[in-house]
Amino acid sequence: MTLRIERLCKTYSNGVKALDNVSLEIPIGMYGLLGPNGAGKSTLMRTIATLQEADSGSIKLGELDVLLEKQEVRRLLGYLPQEFGVYPRTSARDMLDHIAILKGITNSRERREIVDAMLERVNLFQHRKKAISGFSGGMKQRFGIAQALIGNPKLLIVDEPTAGLDPGERNRFYNLLSEVGENVVVILSTHIVQDVKELCTNMAIINLGQVVYAGPPVKAEEELQGMVWQKSISRQELEDHRKNYQVISTKLVAGRPLIHVLSKTSPGAGFSQVEPDLEDVFFSRVNQAV
Ligand code: ADP
């Protein structure tokens, strides 16, 4: 099953063009959708998840027309939004049971088995009778994953999943996702390059509503081969370097700025060539330097 997005457009009533002719082909596996804040990721995710309308274009999941056959798509869909807003006082088990009904699991004994197995899987079984509103941040996140995975979705959409998770929780979440990604289309929307690097075989970078790269992360890195140079400079030199070179990123290493510069030939004294990584790809694409 492949998800095909063709020429999708969306302009909000305030005139912001959030999706500008987006076309993507997303196969089974983990697909990263990378973009800075405001790029249009949530708009795209919510449209695929049948939660909002596009102005034009099409989305197909296999043979299903996502924009028209919304009910059918919802049965195949798992969606983990950035935030749930209000958490119910309902217990985790009752809430999952309710979601399982919506997913079309009508037999109550079968449903109880599925719900309890899912609670075990995300390590919430011992808390099954507690109200979700009283859960800690990590527990809410795990409940979010459980509700997204119940009913074996064919399409799983995960929006900015690792914000607010500690490193251990993040690792467990990564493992769970890559396990699911073996036979499901998983779209992981994030502004964290590391998430995509560790998990995804394919990705797209979007900026200002447009696709600026689509393909494997490694291919994007290869395209920058021999073109990324780094130099450790003083804070005072930063502004001059920004003017004189195509600076793609600046980060502090032990309090000193380390800049990455894009250049086909050596930019000069003090620069050394480095292996391009996904961050170089991201910043050079998003700043439209390439
Ligand atoms: P991302 O998820 O990548 O941060 P969004 O899809 O949330 O991006 O937003 C894309 C653009 O659309 C931004 O400029 C944002 O301000 C704007 N936007 C998002 N939702 C709305 C809305 N409901 N009304 C008006 N503008 C919106």
Side-chain angles (χ1 to χ4, degrees):
M1 177 123 47
T2 301
L3 184 75
R4 284 198 179 78
I5 301 166
E6 270 177 45
R7 296 195 299 277
L8 203 66
C9 292
K10 170 73 183 179
T11 303
Y12 287 109
S13 52
N14 60 359
V16 173
K17 207 169 198 179
L19 298 176
D20 187 1
N21 242 333
V22 169
S23 296
L24 292 171
E25 198 170 308
I26 305 181
I28 281 175
M30 298 280 302
Y31 194 93
L33 188 69
L34 203 54
N37 284 331
K41 301 182 299 295
S42 290
T43 303
L44 182 59
M45 300 292 90
R46 290 175 53 82
T47 311
I48 301 169
T50 75
L51 297 171
Q52 73 178 62
E53 304 287 337
D55 297 335
S56 59
S58 75
I59 307 176
K60 289 270 187 68
L61 177 64
E63 293 301 304
L64 275 183
D65 186 324
V66 174
L67 299 178
L68 294 177
E69 297 167 278
K70 292 196 174 71
Q71 283 309 331
E72 289 81 350
V73 172
R74 282 173 195 156
R75 295 211 163 179
L76 302 176
L77 174 77
Y79 179 50
L80 179 58
Q82 228 169 80
E83 246 177 75
F84 279 102
V86 183
Y87 289 88
R89 277 191 226 153
T90 322
S91 76
R93 189 193 239 169
D94 287 349
M95 192 66 196
L96 276 189
D97 187 69
H98 177 69
I99 294 165
I101 293 173
L102 296 179
K103 292 277 176 82
I105 308 167
T106 47
N107 181 306
S108 62
R109 239 180 67 203
E110 183 195 359
R111 214 165 51 236
R112 173 53 66 95
E113 274 173 25
I114 290 173
V115 164
D116 284 357
M118 186 56 75
L119 286 165
E120 290 273 12
R121 194 167 168 198
V122 298
N123 213 358
L124 283 177
F125 187 73
Q126 72 271 37
H127 304 295
R128 65 194 178 279
K129 292 179 182 160
K130 287 189 195 147
I132 302 161
S133 53
F135 278 7
S136 71
M139 286 161 75
K140 280 178 182 161
Q141 181 78 4
R142 278 183 275 145
F143 177 79
I145 297 163
Q147 66 76 30
L149 290 182
I150 203 122
N152 287 329
K154 293 280 166 274
L155 171 64
L156 182 63
I157 295 176
V158 192
D159 203 351
E160 302 271 349
T162 56
L165 294 188
D166 68 34
E169 288 168 340
R170 202 176 102 163
N171 251 341
R172 276 194 294 276
F173 180 57
Y174 274 180
N175 284 331
L176 198 64
L177 266 192
S178 45
E179 203 181 295
V180 174
E182 283 172 12
N183 36 34
V184 170
V185 176
V186 183
I187 310 176
L188 175 73
S189 156
T190 183
H191 63 273
I192 303 169
V193 175
Q194 200 63 19
D195 285 352
V196 173
K197 194 180 171 93
E198 289 184 29
L199 288 172
C200 303
T201 35
N202 283 290
M203 68 160 187
I205 301 176
I206 65 170
N207 190 33
L208 300 171
Q210 293 181 345
V211 177
V212 293
Y213 176 80
V218 279
K219 187 163 161 268
E221 288 174 348
E222 277 165 21
E223 285 172 11
L224 287 185
Q225 197 67 44
M227 291 172 68
V228 182
W229 305 78
Q230 73 172 20
K231 186 180 177 186
S232 171
I233 58 173
S234 69
R235 280 169 200 275
Q236 291 76 14
E237 291 172 302
L238 194 55
E239 212 184 303
D240 258 7
H241 277 72
R242 282 225 172 93
K243 266 190 228 140
N244 297 330
Y245 302 100
Q246 215 173 337
V247 176
I248 45 181
S249 71
T250 308
K251 59 180 156 200
L252 289 178
V253 175
R256 245 176 105 80
L258 180 74
I259 56 168
H260 277 198
V261 162
L262 201 64
S263 174
K264 288 198 171 129
T265 54
S266 170
F271 282 97
S272 57
Q273 206 175 72
V274 286
E275 279 291 306
D277 63 19
L278 206 52
E279 249 178 52
D280 296 317
V281 170
F282 178 69
F283 288 116
S284 60
R285 296 277 176 171
V286 163
N287 300 330
Q288 296 181 333
V290 175

